[in-house]
Amino acid sequence: GQNIDQPTEMTATEGAIVQINCTYQTSGFNGLFWYQQHAGEAPTFLSYNVLDGLEEKGRFSSFLSRSKGYSYLLLKELQMKDSASYLCAVKDSNYQLIWGAGTKLIIKP
Amino acid sequence: DVKVTQSSRYLVKRTGEKVFLECVQDMDHENMFWYRQDPGLGLRLIYFSYDVKMKEKGDIPEGYSVSREKKERFSLILESASTNQTSMYLCASTPGQGDSYEQYFGPGTRLTVT
């Protein structure tokens, strides 16, 4: 079966750095997405990786290792507004998105 | 900016009622999707559509149907609502089938079936 694993919840301090991991087992791979979802709101796109390596976008970076079936989202200089759920999703061989359950990130002052 | 709108943010229906959830996107996107989101579970695909009048079953289509009569509008229908269909329903759209196309989501409809 297809599976995406992420930690359920993480806590970090304002101003710090946090890394949210995602491991996947899917039938084929056509890219990995990270989305941010604030409570009660729709998911919004953060990043896309299809090749191995690090993609940096401001305070957020996303890393992919296809051989290990592994990705992480790195958030730097955390702000209170970063408190949200972070969803990892993989596009499989049928170009369908398989979603993880999401990681709830709690930022403390 | 792409805008995806859904007909209601909150909806309360009784068991056995027929329920219509509507989704409209304003960017001429080809593909549209209906998901449900439940605590502790990832988004689960109910149905999707790659073109007008075209539909494909997702992972959990039982108890649902869809309609896409116009490119911009994708409707989800619960033929006879049941309590286990209480959930957050999210509509999304993408321009095409390319690998890197992100999905644009509507604000969601929180449906409660009593």
Side-chain angles (χ1 to χ4, degrees):
Chain A
Q2 308 206 87
N3 197 49
I4 309 257
D5 284 317
Q6 310 178 230
T8 303
E9 188 174 295
M10 298 181 71
T11 302
T13 304
E14 191 177 14
I17 298 172
V18 71
Q19 177 175 311
I20 302 174
N21 295 326
C22 170
T23 58
Y24 62 88
Q25 289 179 305
T26 56
S27 56
F29 178 85
N30 282 302
L32 185 144
F33 295 80
W34 284 96
Y35 283 78
Q36 180 189 59
Q37 186 178 26
H38 285 101
E41 297 182 13
T44 54
F45 171 76
L46 285 177
S47 68
Y48 169 74
N49 294 71
V50 67
L51 299 176
D52 289 352
L54 189 68
E55 294 278 345
E56 295 187 78
K57 208 188 264 190
R59 294 188 299 114
F60 293 8
S61 304
S62 56
F63 171 84
L64 175 67
S65 169
R66 289 173 297 171
S67 62
K68 295 182 179 177
Y70 168 71
S71 173
Y72 67 72
L73 181 69
L74 191 72
L75 291 73
K76 301 176 187 175
E77 300 168 17
L78 285 170
Q79 302 175 9
M80 297 304 293
K81 68 178 182 180
D82 298 330
S83 292
S85 289
Y86 291 85
L87 314 181
C88 174
V90 172
K91 196 166 268 192
D92 69 9
S93 56
N94 295 319
Y95 295 91
Q96 294 306 315
L97 276 178
I98 310 301
W99 295 83
T103 298
K104 184 177 180 181
L105 179 63
I106 299 167
I107 310 295
K108 295 187 174 178
Chain B
D1 266 0
V2 174
K3 195 163 186 184
V4 182
T5 57
Q6 295 184 227
S7 48
S8 306
R9 289 301 302 271
Y10 300 94
L11 211 51
V12 180
K13 295 291 181 181
R14 294 192 181 273
T15 302
E17 279 193 83
K18 191 168 186 176
V19 182
F20 293 87
L21 303 181
E22 293 218 317
C23 174
V24 177
Q25 49 91 7
D26 67 357
M27 284 301 291
D28 201 36
H29 282 179
E30 300 289 333
N31 306 328
M32 297 187 75
F33 306 82
W34 274 107
Y35 293 95
R36 64 178 283 177
Q37 185 176 33
D38 300 289
L41 299 176
L43 273 71
R44 291 183 290 168
L45 182 64
I46 305 171
Y47 268 97
F48 60 100
S49 169
Y50 288 142
D51 202 352
V52 175
K53 298 192 185 293
M54 178 272 182
K55 60 185 177 185
E56 293 282 347
K57 292 180 180 179
D59 299 319
I60 53 164
E62 296 78 20
Y64 304 93
S65 62
V66 290
S67 171
R68 194 166 181 200
E69 295 296 317
K70 292 185 178 181
K71 191 175 185 180
E72 67 270 18
R73 189 180 298 270
F74 192 35
S75 302
L76 180 70
I77 303 149
L78 285 67
E79 297 291 343
S80 176
S82 63
T83 55
N84 63 13
Q85 292 179 310
T86 291
S87 187
M88 170 69 89
Y89 289 88
L90 290 163
C91 175
S93 71
T94 62
Q97 294 194 49
D99 298 354
S100 63
Y101 286 138
E102 69 198 75
Q103 294 199 355
Y104 295 86
F105 285 87
T109 296
R110 187 166 292 281
L111 173 67
T112 302
V113 183
T114 61

